[in-house]
């Protein structure tokens, strides 16, 4: 078991098709190089109902995660696949302001002192990166690009649950762990035998 984590790497995105029942199908994950930082925070507070002068019932009010992904530079493939840029006949990328929002899974890993922990956020949407820059002075200071990410749930029929995130680590079977970035992992229910 890891005592610490460090080093964001292996960021991938996989475009999602969300069905009417909230389940998702994913394209093959695409490498998204140049990861600098990722910070997403859980959204939604627990719902508390008071009766008999006590917290009579507490429910989960989680709605997902929100935060920022900072990259050295957004790739052209990400701009086209997720941010809805169009490549014209001359190879110019043009942003379509009326394009539909694209849903995608975000896959990534954090290194650990023993073994990397691999993650997936199942139903992400994002805003485009702001246009920023400044003149070069005596030193070159590379600028990064940052996008705001929202992650919500998908429906998983095998578990009969709405799921938002999964992670693979020390106890994950080798096939699943080693293949984490080749396809978006969708959990399956444990089989139980009754006698």
């Amino acid at each position: 078991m890891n005592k610490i984590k460090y080093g964001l790497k292996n960021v991938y995105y996989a475009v999602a098709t969300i069905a009417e029942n909230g389940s998702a199908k994913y394209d093959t994950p695409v490498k998204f190089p140049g990861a600098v930082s990722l910070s997403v925070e859980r959204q939604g507070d627990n719902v508390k109902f008071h009766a008999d002068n006590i917290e009579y019932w507490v429910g989960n009010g989680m709605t997902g995660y929100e935060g920022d992904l900072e990259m050295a530079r957004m790739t052209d493939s990400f701009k086209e696949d997720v941010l809805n840029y169009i490549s014209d006949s001359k190879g110019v990328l043009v942003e379509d302001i009326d394009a539909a929002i694209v849903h995608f899974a975000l896959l990534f890993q954090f290194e650990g002192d023993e073994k990397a922990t691999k993650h997936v956020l199942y139903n992400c949407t994002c805003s485009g990166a702001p246009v920023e820059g400044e003149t070069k002075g005596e030193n070159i200071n590379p600028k990064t690009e940052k996008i705001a990410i929202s992650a919500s749930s998908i429906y998983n029929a095998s578990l009969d649950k709405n799921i938002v995130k999964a992670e693979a680590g020390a106890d994950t079977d080798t096939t699943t762990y080693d293949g984490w970035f080749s396809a978006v992992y969708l959990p399956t229910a444990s089989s139980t035998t009754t006698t």
Side-chain angles (χ1 to χ4, degrees):
M1 176 179 218
N2 289 326
K3 294 179 183 171
I4 60 167
K5 71 175 179 180
Y6 62 92
L8 170 66
K9 67 186 273 188
N10 287 333
V11 176
Y12 287 74
Y13 68 89
V15 172
T17 302
I18 308 297
E20 279 188 34
N21 70 351
S23 64
K25 290 187 179 179
Y26 297 95
D27 293 349
T28 302
V30 176
K31 182 94 168 153
F32 198 7
V36 174
S37 69
L38 173 67
S39 176
V40 291
E41 293 184 20
R42 185 180 168 125
Q43 298 297 302
D45 297 323
N46 287 340
V47 179
K48 297 177 182 180
F49 176 76
H50 290 85
D52 295 332
N53 287 330
I54 61 168
E55 283 183 2
Y56 194 74
W57 176 83
V58 178
N60 182 2
M62 182 184 183
T63 58
Y65 290 86
E66 287 189 9
D68 295 316
L69 172 62
E70 184 178 8
M71 306 294 291
R73 193 163 185 279
M74 296 298 131
T75 62
D76 288 351
S77 64
F78 186 81
K79 288 177 181 177
E80 290 182 85
D81 296 343
V82 175
L83 300 178
N84 280 314
Y85 280 61
I86 301 161
S87 181
D88 77 356
S89 63
K90 306 240 189 291
V92 175
L93 287 176
V94 181
E95 188 172 7
D96 179 2
I97 198 166
D98 296 319
I101 291 174
V102 174
H103 296 257
F104 63 99
L106 186 69
L107 300 90
F108 54 93
Q109 81 180 42
F110 292 116
E111 296 300 306
D113 55 302
E114 291 188 24
K115 190 172 188 176
T117 304
K118 299 177 180 183
H119 299 261
V120 60
L121 293 168
Y122 284 110
N123 189 7
C124 297
T125 56
C126 71
S127 62
V131 178
E132 297 179 308
E134 62 186 37
T135 190
K136 179 178 96 73
E138 290 182 25
N139 298 314
I140 295 175
N141 296 314
K143 290 292 184 186
T144 59
E145 295 181 333
K146 189 181 286 188
I147 54 173
I149 290 182
S150 295
S152 58
S153 64
I154 60 165
Y155 175 70
N156 180 269
S158 180
L159 298 178
D160 192 24
K161 301 280 183 192
N162 292 312
I163 59 174
V164 67
K165 181 173 82 74
E167 61 184 62
D171 296 330
T172 303
D173 74 77
T174 303
T175 303
T176 301
Y177 186 85
D178 291 346
W180 193 258
F181 299 110
S182 60
V184 174
Y185 175 77
L186 293 169
T188 54
S190 299
S191 57
T192 55
T193 309
T194 31
T195 55

